[in-house]
Amino acid sequence: MKRFVLSLTFLLMSLAAFCTKYQMVNLSSSTIFEDFSSKKAATSDLVFSKVVSQTSEDGESPEEMCNVGIKYYDEGKYREAAYWFEKAANQGYAQAQFNLGLCYYEGQGVVQSYEKAAYWYEKAANQGLAEAQFNLGVCYDKGRGVGQSYEKAAFWYEKAANQGIAQAQNNLGVCYEKGKGVVQNYKNATYWYEKAANQGIAQAQNNLGVCYEKGKGVVQSYEKAAYWYEKAANQGIAQAQYNLGVCYEKGKGVVQNYKNATYWYEKAANQGYAEAQNNLGVCYEKGKGVVQNYKNATYWYEKAADQGTAEAQNNLGVCYYNGLGVAQSYEKAAYWIEKAANQGYAEAQFNLGLCYVNGRGVVQNYEKAAYWFKKAANQGYAQAQHNLGLCYENGFGVKKDLQKAKFWKDKSGIK
């Protein structure tokens, strides 16, 4: 009988290979900007119109009423502001209708109500006010004060986008990329992302970078991807900082530079971006771009692991298994590796199988070992395929089956 040997060196292979397996994430492209007033800067959020309007019965024009409201808003007197906005809004003054919508949306000077916000946004939107069209699109997108409808969201985003509202251009790009309310069209998505990106919208710059990195709607170009990631990264977008870090680590579109990679990973990691935290951990573990430091590596692995990132959970488990930067603990190793395995992470499934074979951190159990090897093997993980073949060859945790043993060992390509 051939000796059944499962090398624990395989456990380290998952960590060693990990830094070469990152891909750009497209999480950012699903981001929808909040309403036009999200920054709450009164002078930029409340429209001040210079259009001459008709005079009301009491001698004040709707424009003058609106301007009085803006004055009160600037002074933080929201109740008085809302009063004057409503007076002007009831006379059909679009800017006042929009401003009153903002008050209801934020609950400033009035009882907060998405329904009333959407009502007044629509009044102004139907008069062609671009900011109101955008905000109404957000309401339909989020189902705030109206029935959720991607079709109506895209309709209003397009109205505003065609008037040059940058946030609407980005959101319309998202709609086209995801096929939300419109027929999916990557070319249209990148068209609108570029419009917004050129106006300085950071999220659109990152989204456009992803399109260039993936070749979605444009000719693939790592150089252009890195260019747009850097634009967004310099504005503090964590996803872009992470993506730019990957570019520097891999030398995609830029000269490979581990120091620059860790710089951007750390920027994103400090904003709580889990993938960057994990990558920064790998850099510290390997001494890539920074002085090797296992304690720092496990610090960042744990940050990402606590957010549910499977790769980081597996890496943290490996650190506990080997006592790298933490007190050695097979129990904690198995705990974190199992967390990752349950998320379908193949390397962790393989590692958990090894834990069960050797009774490290768990009660020795060949059935469970074979179970986890098979999980990883079905995902194409070669070491797991080889070990599963050994299980079948020797009847460990499974019924002995030489045909299956040969199948899995041949599939692994490991001699």
Side-chain angles (χ1 to χ4, degrees):
M1 179 186 295
K2 185 171 180 177
R3 188 165 175 247
F4 183 62
V5 178
L6 296 174
S7 173
L8 289 181
T9 60
F10 284 154
L11 188 64
L12 294 175
M13 291 182 68
S14 62
L15 186 60
F18 191 73
C19 210
T20 66
K21 293 190 174 181
Y22 292 117
Q23 308 233 339
M24 303 294 181
V25 292
N26 197 17
L27 297 177
S28 59
S29 61
S30 64
T31 300
I32 295 293
F33 276 82
E34 288 297 333
D35 60 281
F36 196 72
S37 64
S38 61
K39 293 184 180 178
K40 297 191 176 79
T43 54
S44 62
D45 297 334
L46 297 177
V47 175
F48 185 94
S49 174
K50 295 182 180 179
V51 177
V52 177
S53 303
Q54 64 183 15
T55 303
S56 65
E57 292 180 0
D58 59 3
E60 294 173 323
S61 71
E63 179 188 3
E64 290 168 338
M65 295 176 187
C66 185
N67 290 345
V68 171
I70 291 173
K71 175 180 176 293
Y72 279 122
Y73 191 95
D74 287 342
E75 295 172 354
K77 297 177 180 178
Y78 300 127
R79 182 178 296 182
E80 291 85 349
Y83 168 81
W84 286 102
F85 291 150
E86 187 168 12
K87 281 178 74 72
N90 283 328
Q91 293 191 45
Y93 192 60
Q95 286 82 358
Q97 292 169 339
F98 170 69
N99 291 350
L100 185 57
L102 290 178
C103 290
Y104 275 112
Y105 196 94
E106 300 291 346
Q108 293 179 319
V110 291
V111 177
Q112 198 277 339
S113 171
Y114 288 134
E115 290 76 12
K116 290 183 178 179
Y119 170 83
W120 287 111
Y121 287 155
E122 187 167 13
K123 287 282 191 182
N126 283 328
Q127 293 194 64
L129 190 64
E131 293 85 355
Q133 292 169 341
F134 170 69
N135 282 13
L136 185 58
V138 172
C139 289
Y140 276 113
D141 203 332
K142 301 293 187 182
R144 290 176 178 171
V146 290
Q148 198 273 340
S149 170
Y150 292 133
E151 291 75 13
K152 290 182 179 179
F155 172 83
W156 287 111
Y157 287 152
E158 187 167 12
K159 289 280 191 183
N162 282 325
Q163 293 197 65
I165 299 297
Q167 295 95 330
Q169 293 169 340
N170 178 70
N171 287 9
L172 186 57
V174 173
C175 291
Y176 275 113
E177 184 183 352
K178 301 298 183 185
K180 293 173 67 175
V182 292
V183 176
Q184 188 179 53
N185 187 313
Y186 293 131
K187 190 173 181 179
N188 285 354
T190 56
Y191 171 84
W192 287 110
Y193 285 152
E194 189 166 10
K195 287 279 191 183
N198 283 327
Q199 290 199 65
I201 297 298
Q203 196 67 60
Q205 292 168 340
N206 182 66
N207 290 352
L208 186 57
V210 173
C211 290
Y212 274 113
E213 195 273 331
K214 298 291 185 184
K216 286 184 170 183
V218 289
V219 176
Q220 186 187 53
S221 170
Y222 292 131
E223 290 76 12
K224 289 183 179 180
Y227 170 84
W228 286 110
Y229 288 150
E230 187 168 12
K231 288 279 191 182
N234 283 325
Q235 292 197 64
I237 298 296
Q239 296 101 321
Q241 293 168 339
Y242 166 75
N243 286 352
L244 186 57
V246 174
C247 289
Y248 276 112
E249 185 185 347
K250 305 297 180 190
K252 285 186 168 184
V254 292
V255 176
Q256 187 181 54
N257 188 311
Y258 293 132
K259 188 173 182 180
N260 285 354
T262 57
Y263 171 83
W264 287 111
Y265 286 153
E266 188 167 13
K267 287 279 190 183
N270 283 327
Q271 291 195 66
Y273 198 71
E275 288 83 356
Q277 292 170 337
N278 181 67
N279 282 21
L280 187 57
V282 173
C283 291
Y284 274 112
E285 193 270 334
K286 295 296 178 185
K288 296 175 74 173
V290 290
V291 176
Q292 186 181 53
N293 188 313
Y294 293 129
K295 190 173 181 179
N296 285 355
T298 56
Y299 170 83
W300 287 111
Y301 287 152
E302 189 166 12
K303 287 280 189 183
D306 284 337
Q307 292 194 66
T309 301
E311 296 90 336
Q313 292 169 339
N314 179 68
N315 287 351
L316 185 58
V318 172
C319 289
Y320 274 114
Y321 193 97
N322 293 289
L324 298 174
V326 289
Q328 197 276 339
S329 170
Y330 291 133
E331 290 73 19
K332 289 183 179 179
Y335 170 83
W336 284 110
I337 290 169
E338 186 171 13
K339 287 272 192 184
N342 283 327
Q343 291 196 64
Y345 190 58
E347 292 174 11
Q349 292 170 337
F350 170 72
N351 287 348
L352 189 57
L354 290 179
C355 291
Y356 276 113
V357 165
N358 294 283
R360 299 280 175 87
V362 291
V363 176
Q364 188 180 55
N365 186 314
Y366 290 133
E367 288 77 12
K368 289 185 177 180
Y371 170 84
W372 287 110
F373 287 150
K374 189 171 185 180
K375 285 279 191 182
N378 284 330
Q379 293 194 64
Y381 197 73
Q383 292 92 339
Q385 292 170 337
H386 180 74
N387 284 3
L388 183 59
L390 292 177
C391 289
Y392 278 114
E393 184 174 85
N394 294 281
F396 285 104
V398 291
K399 185 177 179 180
K400 187 173 181 177
D401 187 324
L402 296 180
Q403 187 174 359
K404 288 183 178 179
K406 184 178 185 305
F407 170 82
W408 284 111
K409 289 172 73 177
D410 288 348
K411 197 172 182 67
S412 75
I414 296 174
K415 302 299 182 182

